[in-house]
Amino acid sequence: DENLRDPSSNWDNYRFFNNTPTPNIAPEWLEVPPLYAVEDIPKVVDFSPYVTDPDDLLDELSISSTLPYVTFSTGLNVTFLFPNGVTNATVHLVLRDQWDQAVTNVDFSIEPVNDAPGHDIPLSRLATEDEPLTIDLYPHVWDIDNTKEELSVTTDDPYAIVDGFNLTVVFGEGITS
């Protein structure tokens, strides 16, 4: 344009625009301290105190992970669920804005929970009056937190005696159930 080169032109009639797009500044993780959870109990963590992004609002950011310990994520709130036997874990998290991402690893210490033992003992057996019936319970009991040798079987039934994992019952005359 001729007026741009002419020093006598009226510069007040011109506006200059920078059409170069502003570069996105990637989100950043701040230091996330080690976190604590309890096995088998969902733990929701709000990571908003641990992230920053100078050109986006916090509600425009999201967090994701491909690990199975992350069961749900919405915005900066992440739900973790650690299964039985996991006492320590490092979880890889990805923080995203519209254009960029940042990654971090979060260390967890997980408190174990003593789960109740389980069994699949048949609910009924045929017994003959006044004859001992012995049932081997060993193949029918388990405990995810303990070995079978750490388990014990007890009863307060007057017709039953327990010896290790053997349950012996004797039903006297007239006992039908």
Side-chain angles (χ1 to χ4, degrees):
D1 184 279
E2 264 320 299
N3 288 331
L4 289 177
R5 292 191 200 122
D6 180 6
S8 65
S9 68
N10 185 356
W11 289 95
D12 291 339
N13 293 328
Y14 291 96
R15 292 190 181 158
F16 295 93
F17 296 98
N18 180 354
N19 291 328
T20 306
T22 305
N24 182 63
I25 300 172
E28 290 182 38
W29 285 98
L30 304 176
E31 184 177 344
V32 180
L35 299 175
Y36 300 93
V38 177
E39 160 188 287
D40 296 330
I41 297 175
K43 166 122 181 146
V44 178
V45 178
D46 175 8
F47 284 99
S48 60
Y50 308 111
V51 301
T52 183
D53 191 337
D55 60 354
D56 287 294
L57 299 173
L58 288 183
D59 64 356
E60 296 174 316
L61 304 177
S62 65
I63 297 174
S64 64
S65 178
T66 58
L67 292 178
Y69 305 137
V70 175
T71 60
F72 184 72
S73 177
T74 178
L76 299 177
N77 293 311
V78 179
T79 303
F80 299 89
L81 183 62
F82 298 96
N84 224 356
V86 176
T87 57
N88 290 297
T90 298
V91 179
H92 182 77
L93 296 176
V94 179
L95 173 66
R96 289 185 173 86
D97 66 10
Q98 188 176 359
W99 307 104
D100 288 314
Q101 65 184 27
V103 297
T104 194
N105 289 321
V106 179
D107 293 323
F108 277 88
S109 292
I110 298 100
E111 180 182 336
V113 174
N114 187 9
D115 296 303
H119 70 85
D120 61 1
I121 301 168
L123 297 177
S124 63
R125 300 277 176 130
L126 275 176
T128 304
E129 183 178 83
D130 292 325
E131 289 185 22
L133 170 65
T134 300
I135 304 166
D136 180 10
L137 302 177
Y138 191 85
H140 300 284
V141 297
W142 63 86
D143 189 336
I144 198 161
D145 296 314
N146 301 293
T147 65
K148 283 191 182 185
E149 289 68 29
E150 295 173 295
L151 300 177
S152 64
V153 179
T154 61
T155 184
D156 59 359
D157 190 299
Y159 304 107
I161 298 171
V162 174
D163 181 19
F165 285 95
N166 290 316
L167 172 67
T168 303
V169 293
V170 179
F171 297 104
E173 190 174 326
I175 306 296
T176 58
S177 61

